[in-house]
């Protein structure tokens, strides 16, 4: 074949391969255009996973009728003119490729009306060719409908994934943009069913409740910008929410990062989040996090890849450190509460830079401070927790709780990031001891024991026989018992944590356990021993003791249920309280 310059449409189709990989990529480009146009509200409609229809309607500034067809020409953009403009880029788009690419592989209809023009215009393109252009009446804003995606690129069409997969991708994409732009109202409708909507309240917390559900959101703590680690580096603000360590996932995909309002994929920065949890999460477990990172546009190079999902940083280490520190502070006790000057948390960050479209009045963001009691900051809660062990030996599995007191000499009252907790002191201690004794047993570590003057104990004859056969099993836990004729025994040593208990009772209940399933003997003994040794209901406890108990419970593998299957705690969320008091 002789060398020829490719026809415009063929070039666009090839370029489309990079930008428009799948239906979700079309949605991404259309959403970004709507955001760049200053939309405060947009609707995303999808049919058949995007194969039939993708439509984004926005209330942005619109396109002047005279320029409308130009929007579909390759390399036509209103967002930059010189290469230097890239340095100060305030928009998501800049390549001027998306609409040309999308139109080249579909049937695209655009209805748009510029805010300052009387009439709108409708354009229909097929495979990149303009088929019709006519004036229409329309509200200010832009509606772009993409039908029959990839109809003229059979290879792409063949590689389209199942409808359900495409649907999922689109869901994820829209919810991510909703998180990055809490001030914009998003509505996603797939096959006539609403999948998701955000309120546009400007509050990331509201979006997260919609995306994650209230139960998961309750296990998230707020991440706030920290003072820079080095004053010579440019400021990097990190705002968002991250999970308390008892909530984790088996992969990193629940760590979502935005840089200047752009969803990005960056292994190293994702690792910064994971690293902040250090020993708090077991291997193979990862936190959930949504972090909005803001830094001067000239310090980010967004022109690395056509899909703009990868970015390069001028000071990568500064970004890494900022993320790691902010997350670390949020989840640990180290929170310098004194740094906190605001009255709520919503004012601790500024939204990602919004484009300033000529002619558009800048929108006053409603950053109303939510009731601070609703999702209190971790820092406020933690301020008077006594310093715990320097380094947690085990991962934290509960949010950090602060003891308030004891009621009914049975329950510990504590508060945490998500409200009020009532903890059954016996159930909690039973759980703690069970896990500790099991671990000690499994690692073969010696049990601490207390030797004392031999005491004689008598048991009913059948239990005495069982006990006699089980003396070795009991010796593992620190008992030193010998038969003393008939149904009596001499006890010379007991495990340290049952010291002070009535020996007859201890041996009686242990002998009963020995009568059970021999295959589960150790397990049964541990269960019983931990119950025996646990603090009882009716015991008055000092605050220090209660706090210690809670700290140990925070690191149990299963802190929420006792070994008998009963709850160790009752949680009353801040929302529940507010409702009870008619505050909502
Ligand atoms: P880019 O976003 O990189 O500039 P696009 O091909 O996505 O390139 O869009 C081309 C141009 O069309 C944009 O620069 C913008 O001027 C205009 N445009 C596209 N979508 C919209 C929209 N929803 N509202 C207003 N203008 C739009
Ligand atoms: Mg664009």
């Amino acid at each position: 074949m002789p060398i020829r310059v490719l026809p415009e449409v063929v070039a666009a189709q090839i370029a489309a391969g990079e930008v428009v990989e799948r239906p979700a990529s079309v949605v991404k480009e259309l959403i970004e255009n709507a955001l760049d146009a200053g939309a405060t509200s947009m609707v995303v409609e999808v049919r058949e996973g995007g194969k039939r229809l993708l439509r984004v309607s926005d209330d942005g500034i619109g396109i002047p009728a005279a320029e409308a067809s130009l929007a579909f020409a390759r390399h036509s953009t209103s967002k930059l003119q010189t290469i230097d403009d890239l340095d100060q880029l305030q928009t998501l788009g800049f390549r001027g490729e998306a609409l040309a690419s999308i139109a080249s592989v579909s049937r695209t209809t655009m209805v748009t009306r510029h805010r300052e023009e009387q009439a709108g215009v409708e354009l229909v393109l097929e495979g990149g060719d303009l088929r019709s252009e006519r004036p229409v009446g329309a509200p200010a804003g832009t509606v772009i409908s993409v039908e029959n995606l990839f109809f003229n690129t059979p290879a792409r069409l063949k590689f389209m994934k199942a409808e359900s997969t495409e649907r999922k991708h689109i869901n994820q994409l829209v919810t991510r943009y909703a998180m990055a732009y809490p001030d914009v109202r998003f509505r996603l409708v797939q096959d006539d069913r609403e999948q998701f909507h955000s309120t546009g309240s400007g509050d990331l917390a509201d979006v997260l409740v919609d995306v994650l559900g209230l139960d998961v959101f309750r296990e998230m703590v707020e991440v706030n910008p920290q003072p820079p680690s080095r004053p010579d580096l440019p400021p990097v603000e990190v705002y968002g929410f991250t999970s308390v360590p008892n909530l984790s996932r088996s992969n990193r995909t629940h760590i979502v990062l935005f840089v200047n309002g752009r969803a990005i994929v960056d292994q190293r920065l994702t690792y910064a989040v994971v690293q902040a949890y250090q020993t708090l999460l077991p291997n193979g477990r990862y936190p959930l996090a949504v972090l909005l990172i803001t830094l001067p546009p000239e310090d980010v190079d967004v022109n690395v890849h056509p899909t703009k999902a990868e970015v390069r940083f001028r000071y990568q280490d500064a970004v890494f450190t900022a993320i790691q520190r902010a997350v670390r502070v949020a989840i640990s006790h180290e929170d310098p509460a004194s740094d906190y000057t605001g009255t709520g948390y919503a004012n601790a960050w500024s939204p990602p830079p919004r484009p300033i479209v000529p002619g558009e009045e800048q929108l006053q963001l409603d950053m109303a401070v939510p009731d601070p009691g609703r999702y209190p900051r971790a820092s406020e809660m933690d301020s008077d927790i006594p310093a715990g062990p320097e380094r947690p030996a085990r991962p934290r599995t509960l949010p950090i709780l602060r003891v308030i007191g004891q009621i009914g000499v049975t329950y510990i009252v504590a508060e945490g990031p998500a409200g009020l907790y009532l903890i059954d002191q016996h159930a909690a201690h039973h759980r703690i001891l069970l896990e500790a004794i099991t671990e000690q047993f499994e690692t073969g570590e010696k049990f601490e024991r207390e030797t004392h003057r031999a005491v004689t104990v008598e048991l009913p004859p059948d239990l005495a026989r069982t006990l006699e056969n089980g003396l070795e099993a009991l010796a593992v836990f620190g008992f030193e018992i010998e038969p003393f004729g008939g149904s009596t025994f001499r006890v010379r040593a007991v495990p340290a944590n049952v010291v002070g208990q009535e020996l007859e009772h201890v041996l009686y209940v242990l002998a009963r356990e020995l009568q059970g399933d021999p295959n589960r003997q150790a397990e049964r003994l541990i269960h019983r021993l931990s119950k025996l040794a646990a603090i009882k209901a009716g015991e008055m406890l000092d605050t220090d003791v209660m706090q210690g108990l809670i700290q140990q419970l925070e690191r149990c593998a299963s802190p929420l249920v006792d070994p008998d299957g009963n709850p160790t705690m009752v949680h009353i969320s801040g929302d529940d309280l507010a409702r009870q008091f008619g505050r909502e």
Side-chain angles (χ1 to χ4, degrees), residues 463 504-514 528 532:
L463 282 180
E504 224 151 78
H505 174 67
V506 170
L507 293 192
Y508 180 88
V509 296
L510 290 175
R512 292 271 302 270
E513 292 303 334
L514 287 166
R528 183 54 59 181
L532 275 169

Side-chain angles (χ1 to χ4, degrees), residues 329-344:
V329 166
I331 57 174
S332 69
H333 297 231
E334 298 154 27
D335 197 342
S338 55
D339 285 352
Y340 178 62
T341 49
T343 45

Side-chain angles (χ1 to χ4, degrees), residues 29 33 79 93 98:
E29 296 296 336
N33 280 346
K79 299 169 193 174

